Structure formats: C-alpha cells, structure tokens
Amino acid sequence: MNHIFRLKADWNGGRNSTGRIESGQLQTDISIPEPMGGPGVGTNPDEMLLGAAATCYIITLAAMLERSSIEVESLTLDAEGVVDVTDNIFTYRSITHRPLLVLAGGQSEETLAKAERLARKAESSCMITRALQGNVEVSAEPTVTFAQKAH
C-alpha cells in the first residue's frame, strides 16, 4: 500500500525572494536562510530536512519504547544538522539526534540499558534516515536516566 503526500509551492521571483508551501498541516513561508545569503523568511530546506529527520526519529523511538513496555516520564530531543559550503557548493553533511529520555522510577538498570539501545536503534529504523542513507550521516547520542524522586 502506498501513502501519497502532496505539496503545493508558490515562489515570488529569483534566488533571494520568498515563497510559501502547503502540505496537509504544514503551511509556511520559505526562503533561503540569512547565513546563506537569503532573506531568512519562514523556514528553509535545511530546517525542513532536519525537522523531517528529527520528527521521524522521535516518533520511531516513542513507538519502540511503547512496544517494549518501557515507562517514559519525558522524552525531548535536540537535533543538529551540519551543512558544508565548499566552493559555493552546499552539501548536507550530517544530522545528530541528542535525545534526553527520562524513565519513570521503579524500573531496572536493565530497562535503562534497553532504552539506550532502542534510542540508538531508532535512528536506523526511521524511514527518513533510511532515505538519507549514503548521503547524509545520521547518528544518535542518547542520554537516558531515571526520574528523580520528589523529596
């Protein structure tokens, strides 16, 4: 079964202009970011690629934790994308996911170790990561801990 996603885009001129995209719930202005010589209006392809990889990763990780019956108190993510510019050629080099996974108390150290393994495995299980494979290095650097007991 195929799932079809559609996107509509409008662009208002040359390289340093702005545009707008709409795809389901995603509706935003777009342009080249200021650090790359653009107007910096709305979002841009670099942020959207990072956003696609990060949301796929965190959803995949949440599903894996749920299937493993690991109780999670909180799951947050910092993700970083690195774009190299050499001879005016822009190349997306890497994405690093840094999840902070706080497990509910009362679970074993073995559960903590399993949660960390899942946090690493989620990166290679994500559909977006698989689509980027061979082009962009994607990695995960998880921090997994137990919730602190209230005093």
Side-chain angles (χ1 to χ4, degrees):
M1 169 197 287
N2 291 328
H3 296 277
I4 308 297
F5 297 91
R6 299 194 189 289
L7 182 138
K8 292 185 184 239
D10 291 308
W11 190 255
N12 304 312
R15 178 193 185 278
N16 287 328
S17 295
T18 62
R20 182 153 183 85
I21 59 169
E22 295 184 12
S23 179
Q25 297 298 310
L26 175 63
Q27 300 173 14
T28 188
D29 293 329
I30 57 171
S31 74
I32 294 173
E34 281 186 52
M36 294 180 174
V41 174
T43 191
N44 58 70
D46 310 287
E47 290 172 344
M48 290 185 2
L49 182 61
L50 180 60
T55 54
C56 184
Y57 172 82
I58 201 166
I59 291 168
T60 300
L61 176 54
M64 293 170 81
L65 293 164
E66 182 180 273
R67 280 193 300 272
S68 295
S69 299
I70 296 175
E71 293 180 55
V72 177
E73 187 158 305
S74 70
L75 174 56
T76 58
L77 176 65
D78 284 325
E80 176 182 83
V82 175
V83 176
D84 175 60
V85 183
T86 302
D87 296 329
N88 214 25
I89 297 172
F90 295 79
T91 305
Y92 219 113
R93 291 286 179 213
S94 66
I95 293 173
T96 305
H97 299 301
R98 294 185 182 97
L100 173 57
L101 177 56
V102 180
L103 304 182
Q107 298 179 87
S108 69
E109 289 293 327
E110 289 145 353
T111 300
L112 187 135
K114 182 175 185 178
E116 185 171 338
R117 283 192 308 274
L118 291 174
R120 293 185 188 285
K121 185 178 180 186
E123 173 265 313
S124 62
S125 300
C126 165
M127 171 182 72
I128 301 299
T129 299
R130 290 193 316 265
L132 296 172
Q133 202 167 30
N135 293 306
V136 178
E137 179 186 328
V138 183
S139 62
E141 299 173 356
T143 300
V144 183
T145 188
F146 288 117
Q148 299 298 314
K149 293 181 183 177
H151 298 288

